[in-house]
Amino acid sequence: MVDATPVDVDINFMRKHYSKKYLSKMDLKWSYSSSKGHYIGYKVTMVLEKNSLTSVLILIHKGAPYDTKIYKEVLENLKQSRIIRPLDILLFDKGYFSYENYKIGIIEYRIIPLIFPREITIRISF
């Protein structure tokens, strides 16, 4: 199972005033999340093993890149760590949904990606 979550960093824990010039030198990335709003922080991607629910891979990305953009990086790290093998089934949340990601998973990595679609629509024609 693969999922990513935003993690905000409280740089003002001492409640001091920091100038914009000082903050620009710190190389921080502003990001936006629907659950947190605007924040300074990271995106943490975790891969869990299904039977024991233990983490097998943790990736930390600066800012909040879209899940569809980091899909290939996640698979590459899993392949280099020899965690995935051909015909393994990986479960992703809807943030990773893209037809291109399906092609990458099936053709390049020979896995079976199960990515929940953003909307499930059923068309009934009479």
Side-chain angles (χ1 to χ4, degrees):
M1 293 189 301
V2 181
D3 195 16
T5 184
V7 177
D8 61 336
V9 177
D10 185 9
I11 60 165
N12 197 9
F13 61 91
M14 299 291 283
R15 301 300 177 233
K16 292 182 179 179
H17 174 72
Y18 293 109
S19 67
K20 288 183 180 181
K21 184 177 180 182
Y22 176 77
L23 290 175
S24 65
K25 290 180 184 177
M26 291 182 67
D27 192 32
L28 302 171
K29 269 204 103 149
W30 280 93
S31 304
Y32 179 78
S33 165
S34 59
S35 60
K36 295 187 179 287
H38 291 281
Y39 68 97
I40 295 175
Y42 300 91
K43 180 173 258 191
V44 177
T45 304
M46 289 191 62
V47 180
L48 301 176
E49 198 269 326
K50 75 168 180 137
N51 294 330
S52 62
L53 293 178
T54 56
S55 60
V56 291
L57 180 71
I58 298 173
L59 296 174
I60 299 173
H61 297 91
K62 190 185 275 190
Y66 293 114
D67 292 342
T68 55
K69 305 292 184 196
I70 60 174
Y71 176 80
K72 192 167 183 175
E73 181 183 348
V74 171
L75 290 181
E76 190 60 37
N77 280 302
L78 288 170
K79 184 178 179 181
Q80 286 178 354
S81 302
R82 297 183 181 176
I83 295 171
I84 59 172
R85 296 180 302 268
L87 299 179
D88 275 354
I89 298 172
L90 289 176
L91 181 67
F92 293 88
D93 70 346
K94 65 183 179 181
Y96 294 91
F97 184 75
S98 161
Y99 292 114
E100 187 66 29
N101 286 345
Y102 271 110
K103 289 195 289 187
I104 290 170
I106 293 169
I107 296 170
E108 291 183 30
Y109 295 94
R110 300 182 48 86
I111 62 162
I112 303 167
L114 294 178
I115 306 172
F116 293 114
R118 294 206 179 266
E119 288 184 18
I120 299 175
T121 56
I122 301 172
R123 294 183 183 188
I124 302 173
S125 58
F126 294 99

